Amino acid sequence: MAQNGTTENRGTKGIAALPLPQPVKVQEVRHTKIFIDNEWHTSSSGRTFPTFNPATGHKICDVEEADKEDVDRAVKAAKAAEQRGSPWRRMDASSRGRLLHKLADLMERDRLLLATLETLDTGKPFLQSFFIDLDGSIKTLRYYAGWADKIHGRSLPVDESFMCFTKHEPVGVCGAIIPWNFPLLMFMWKMAPALSCGNTVVIKPAEQTPLTALHVGALIKEAGFPPGVVNILPGFGPTAGAAIASHMDVDKVAFTGSTEVGQLIKEASAKSNLKRVTLELGGKNPCIVFADCDLQLAVEETQKGAFYNQGQCCTAASRVFVEESIYEEFVHRSVENVKKIVIGDPMDPQTSHGPQISQQHFDKIMDLIESGKEEGARLEYGGAAVGENRLFIQPTIFSGVKDQMRIAKEEIFGPVQCIFSFKRQQEAIERANRSQYGLVSAIFTRSMDRALSVSAALETGTVWINCYNALHAQTPFGEPTLLIRF
């Protein structure tokens, strides 16, 4: 899932006239240790783990590996920082906002370096890192900085002998476990609102992509956040992640990732201190394209949804239902449009499609592509690896997809677009809702009456009308929200 500002996640489209930023040369990654109490630490176990550039397969550096003992230290620091009378709790709300703005300023200063590290670690094209991920991260910080001194309680009318008012207080220590597809942006999505409300955080970045989170640790200290307010623990899910989810002094945990791991976190919460849990676990998102739509817009937007970030988005537009009368033309235009995608070195400004994150993930995607062929879907384009011993997969389009196929039911999390046909509106709605997922959806039509009635019937959170992946810091994500492009 990607967040953006005014760019509407268009990649490099619309910015060609601007002077293009250039990646910086990273001779050596500076921050590779565990960040606790505003200090850098080696792991208690003495273990490290490598992080790799998925575009080349080369090791970038070794990172300290946090486990349960390190989590205990971090939670202790976060607990001390959120106690009444601590510098963080004594700080007035507007000062919290100023610190978040200061962090945003420092990220602006280091924007080229952060975008370079993000591309090295994830393989996503550099210009997307710079214009989308960094822009969204900085805007998220500034948005929540503005909320810091505007979190108000309410007075409630009760019996005349009483006075009643509500008061919003920090939850306490918030654990955050973030994914590898948007590591910096997900860091901000979880940290910024928690800090705005006066909480402290213990964050575990994904083991595949820890580098930008660790660099932000240095900026947090430079910005002047009190020790213990933010703690960053690179490590693995079964050790560091599990320790956060089950810790008795963590008051809430937020996780973005797979459904299977989300279930484990929910279970760990129940078996420990019944901590609050927020989960965002993926999607198999439907798009419904009606015959009266702007056809070329629908083609471009649904492909943006399917192929952005190499399809590694929980919001991926992986089920596209097209009205029968325009089905063949939609497929034809989709095949022509996908040929514009440029696969290559993520640091090259011309590249719009990078590698998958790992060999394991690459193999899973290729297995699902093969299942689509075997089950009778028509491969219109792509479907193959690019280069030997590399993690690049061609953007892939299947037509003639049936609802019972694996590619129609399972979250692929890769660059695969599945195109279905439908005859009647009610049929499209019922098939779109026939999924265990319900994150986002999209509708393409010129009829606002149809858009509103269909959006009300779709069992998803965000519904986009004539657009896709149009996310903003000001709008909810995952809650029932309608966003219309005029």
Side-chain angles (χ1 to χ4, degrees):
M1 152 243 84
Q3 175 163 355
N4 53 73
T6 57
T7 54
E8 292 187 6
N9 208 358
R10 296 176 188 170
T12 58
K13 184 178 179 180
I15 60 175
L18 300 174
L20 292 181
Q22 296 297 320
V24 300
K25 291 185 178 180
V26 178
Q27 303 294 342
E28 181 181 3
V29 177
R30 182 178 177 185
H31 301 294
T32 61
K33 293 185 177 182
I34 298 167
F35 186 73
I36 299 175
D37 228 10
N38 275 10
E39 299 295 338
W40 298 102
H41 301 266
T42 56
S43 62
S44 299
S45 66
R47 291 193 299 269
T48 62
F49 64 93
T51 183
F52 295 92
N53 180 344
T56 63
H58 298 154
K59 185 174 82 171
I60 303 169
C61 62
D62 289 310
V63 177
E64 296 290 327
E65 180 187 338
D67 58 17
K68 185 179 183 303
E69 187 174 342
D70 302 296
V71 170
D72 287 340
R73 285 195 296 162
V75 173
K76 184 178 179 180
K79 189 77 173 175
E82 65 93 22
Q83 292 296 305
R84 293 186 183 277
S86 70
W88 181 241
R89 288 297 294 271
R90 290 199 311 269
M91 186 179 295
D92 67 85
S94 60
S95 296
R96 289 201 305 269
R98 283 196 295 271
L99 284 176
L100 288 168
H101 274 302
K102 176 63 174 176
L103 180 58
D105 291 340
L106 294 174
M107 289 180 64
E108 289 271 20
R109 183 196 70 189
D110 288 2
R111 187 167 179 164
L112 281 172
L113 175 58
L114 283 165
T116 301
L117 289 174
E118 195 79 332
T119 291
L120 281 174
D121 228 8
T122 66
K124 65 178 62 185
F126 171 77
L127 291 186
Q128 292 178 9
S129 294
F130 185 89
F131 283 107
I132 306 299
D133 295 53
L134 265 296
D135 193 61
S137 297
I138 292 164
K139 286 183 176 180
T140 297
L141 281 173
R142 298 204 186 282
Y143 175 76
Y144 285 103
W147 267 110
D149 57 2
K150 301 175 185 66
I151 302 168
H152 307 145
R154 295 183 298 162
S155 62
L156 305 175
V158 291
D159 188 285
E160 65 178 7
S161 301
F162 298 89
M163 180 176 70
C164 179
F165 61 90
T166 62
K167 182 182 180 184
H168 293 297
E169 293 187 328
V171 172
V173 178
C174 297
I177 303 171
I178 55 180
W180 48 258
N181 57 338
F182 293 95
L184 184 61
L185 190 54
M186 292 297 100
F187 187 170
M188 297 304 127
W189 275 25
K190 288 176 169 50
M191 180 185 72
L195 298 186
S196 175
C197 296
N199 299 286
T200 59
V201 294
V202 175
I203 294 179
K204 190 199 87 65
E207 62 268 24
Q208 298 92 338
T209 55
L211 297 184
T212 48
L214 292 172
H215 185 85
V216 170
L219 302 185
I220 285 165
K221 182 175 182 178
E222 184 179 351
F225 284 86
V229 172
V230 180
N231 306 274
I232 304 168
L233 303 167
F236 293 84
T239 50
I244 291 171
S246 61
H247 204 288
M248 295 297 292
D249 285 329
V250 172
D251 301 293
K252 174 176 180 175
V253 64
F255 169 76
T256 299
S258 70
T259 301
E260 295 76 15
V261 175
Q263 290 171 328
L264 294 174
I265 289 173
K266 199 84 166 180
E267 181 181 5
S269 167
K271 288 183 175 180
S272 54
N273 59 344
L274 286 172
K275 60 177 63 65
R276 304 181 193 187
V277 177
T278 299
L279 303 174
E280 196 266 276
L281 304 178
K284 191 69 181 173
N285 309 292
C287 301
I288 303 179
V289 181
F290 290 98
D292 68 341
C293 71
D294 179 331
L295 186 56
Q296 189 58 33
L297 173 70
V299 166
E300 293 175 359
E301 292 292 306
T302 55
Q303 287 203 344
K304 182 175 71 178
F307 301 136
Y308 182 73
N309 202 43
Q310 297 71 248
Q312 298 170 146
C313 302
C314 57
T315 60
S318 54
R319 293 189 297 148
V320 182
F321 296 92
V322 181
E323 195 163 2
E324 195 173 69
S325 62
I326 61 167
Y327 184 79
E328 294 300 329
E329 180 63 18
F330 183 91
V331 171
H332 171 73
R333 291 198 190 193
S334 295
V335 172
E336 292 305 307
N337 197 70
V338 79
K339 294 175 183 177
K340 302 174 186 177
I341 294 176
V342 180
I343 304 171
D345 178 5
M347 294 296 181
D348 187 333
Q350 301 304 314
T351 296
S352 56
H353 191 88
Q356 309 309 133
I357 189 65
S358 67
Q359 186 66 53
Q360 180 183 15
H361 192 59
F362 174 96
D363 293 341
K364 173 198 168 187
I365 297 166
M366 293 304 296
D367 176 64
L368 281 162
I369 290 173
E370 289 305 310
S371 78
K373 299 177 187 177
E374 292 168 2
E375 292 181 346
R378 187 162 54 251
L379 180 63
E380 298 282 355
Y381 187 86
V386 179
E388 296 182 4
N389 302 317
R390 300 175 73 188
L391 302 180
F392 293 81
I393 297 176
Q394 291 176 316
T396 299
I397 299 175
F398 281 106
S399 67
V401 182
K402 306 301 180 186
D403 294 349
Q404 71 275 12
M405 295 177 178
R406 284 183 64 199
I407 57 174
K409 296 188 296 183
E410 298 181 26
E411 185 179 28
I412 301 171
F413 223 66
V416 181
Q417 183 182 36
C418 300
I419 307 178
F420 309 70
S421 67
F422 72 91
K423 293 182 179 179
R424 296 176 304 278
Q425 177 176 305
Q426 187 57 34
E427 172 203 346
I429 293 170
E430 291 174 358
R431 292 170 67 190
N433 287 338
R434 202 176 297 156
S435 172
Q436 63 177 328
Y437 298 102
L439 185 61
V440 302
S441 59
I443 301 163
F444 293 88
T445 178
R446 286 190 169 95
S447 167
M448 192 52 59
D449 287 344
R450 173 183 284 135
L452 294 176
S453 63
V454 173
S455 66
L458 290 176
E459 297 170 358
T460 65
T462 300
V463 182
W464 289 303
I465 308 298
N466 295 326
C467 57
Y468 208 90
N469 272 349
L471 301 173
H472 306 266
Q474 303 92 327
T475 59
F477 180 74
E479 298 180 20
T481 307
L482 188 63
L483 198 148
I484 305 168
R485 179 178 184 174
F486 294 104

